[in-house]
Amino acid sequence: MKDSAVPARLPPAPGPPDEPAAAPVTCGVVAIRGFERRLERMVEGAFARAFRSSIRPVELARRLAREMDDGRSVGVRGTPVAPNHFTVYLSSDDYAEFGEVRDALRRELCDAARAHARDENYGFMGPVDVELVVDERFGTGWFEIEARFREGPGGAGAGSLVLPTGERFTLAEHPISIGRRPECNIVLADPNVSRNHAEIRPQGDGFVLTDLGSTNGSKVNGVRVEQRMLADGDELTFGNTRLRFEAS
């Protein structure tokens, strides 16, 4: 799943490692353990044996979630917001051992941050991003994560579309067009989609979907709309093609 800022064409629609804390089992602990099980499936399942680093990806994901919790604040609307830009400092040996899976690891850590935000009802000021860098002071097995708040380009809020292919198209300060026309930002090869079907543009700290007079209409969560402010998790339908909006 690759972040995208260029036109996307779709096919026809059909520190040392953290030690777990010993604590009585409570609802909160159960929730944390459930989150960690999901992290293990999410972050390690696809490429657990692809590298030999002494740092397990799930350890990075746990620390990242902790940095989100420790750094959370309250936004202008009174809702909790969490850091969205993360710098992971690694030793040169560990950085090298991640090798060809570094891009995959970045994407999976971004997904882990989004999942934790949904669990805790956190918002973001801008798109979620993770970068891996070398810190020559660190020995093998040591790492540190620095979490920051960072606005999207042009002050846009956090928003992206998850395409049927699994690719992620990041929304920014400019309107994006959706339709069959080759010049659209997102080109849908769906005969039930109009050439100029819809657009999504930033508004405040969110994004608004507007139907452009399409023949078959645009739907949000199954309801036909002419214009709608998008919320995290909304399912967008154009013709027979479904996309998902995520506020991250």
Side-chain angles (χ1 to χ4, degrees), residues 108-128:
E108 298 297 339
L109 289 175
C110 286
D111 283 345
R114 295 181 185 106
H116 187 56
R118 284 193 292 271
D119 285 349
E120 301 298 327
N121 293 317
Y122 295 156
F124 293 116
M125 292 179 62
V128 176

Side-chain angles (χ1 to χ4, degrees), residues 73-82 121-123 205:
S73 184
V74 178
V76 295
R77 297 184 180 182
T79 56
V81 292
N121 293 317
Y122 295 156
D205 58 357

Side-chain angles (χ1 to χ4, degrees), residues 182-198:
E183 292 77 18
C184 288
N185 298 106
I186 297 179
V187 181
L188 303 180
D190 181 339
N192 294 300
V193 170
S194 297
R195 285 175 56 79
N196 296 298
H197 197 104

